Amino acid sequence: MISPAVIKAVPKVVLHDHLDGGLRVKTILELAQLHNYTALPFDNEEQLGNWFHTAVQGSLEIYLETFAHTVAVMQRKQDIVRVARECAVDLARDSVVYAEVRMAPELITEKGLTLTQAIEAILEGFRAGEAEAKGEGNTIRVMALLCGMRQNKLSQEVAELV
């Protein structure tokens, strides 16, 4: 049997990850407080972490609710940059050397960012995370896969921006 420590140390590639699906619980709480976002089901790290963990194993309705909360705290450039940077750093700390992380940029434009600004914030965060990871002795390359939401009819515009 291979130990968890060995598995963690082995270089890995992640080909399907969601930027809005992997926020640190602490980050969600800090951004929610900063923006007076009060819709979270819990306001402490342990309970919210447990709720997210349970939600991904429960019903589709509860699972999708998790994304409503994460997207809600990703509406300003600096918050998107932070989330993307933390994503890259966290992946690198798990020995991921290459990752393709997807996001629908239109979901993070509710507070006035343009699609271009949202995409630029994602990329800025990934590059900052790569640099931070390198400073920690880890090498990672993170690429953005940009998605268009069929129901919102911006897929063509997102594709053109890519």
Side-chain angles (χ1 to χ4, degrees), residues 74-130:
M74 295 174 61
Q75 295 298 319
R76 295 182 319 155
K77 176 186 175 184
Q78 57 267 41
D79 303 327
I80 298 163
V81 170
R82 175 184 176 176
V83 167
R85 178 185 55 76
E86 290 176 353
C87 171
V89 169
D90 291 346
L91 288 169
R93 288 176 181 166
D94 283 336
S95 300
V96 173
V97 295
Y98 177 82
E100 294 178 355
V101 180
R102 59 191 60 235
M103 184 66 204
E106 65 197 75
L107 296 177
I108 50 179
T109 60
E110 293 175 10
K111 301 285 185 186
L113 290 178
T114 65
L115 285 175
T116 299
Q117 290 169 327
I119 293 166
E120 289 172 351
I122 293 168
L123 296 175
E124 181 181 331
F126 286 159
R127 301 298 80 84
E130 290 169 352

Side-chain angles (χ1 to χ4, degrees), residues 45-61:
E45 195 169 345
E46 183 178 357
Q47 287 179 310
L48 187 60
N50 288 338
W51 180 81
F52 272 103
H53 180 74
T54 303
V56 300
Q57 300 172 20
S59 73
L60 179 60
E61 182 178 287

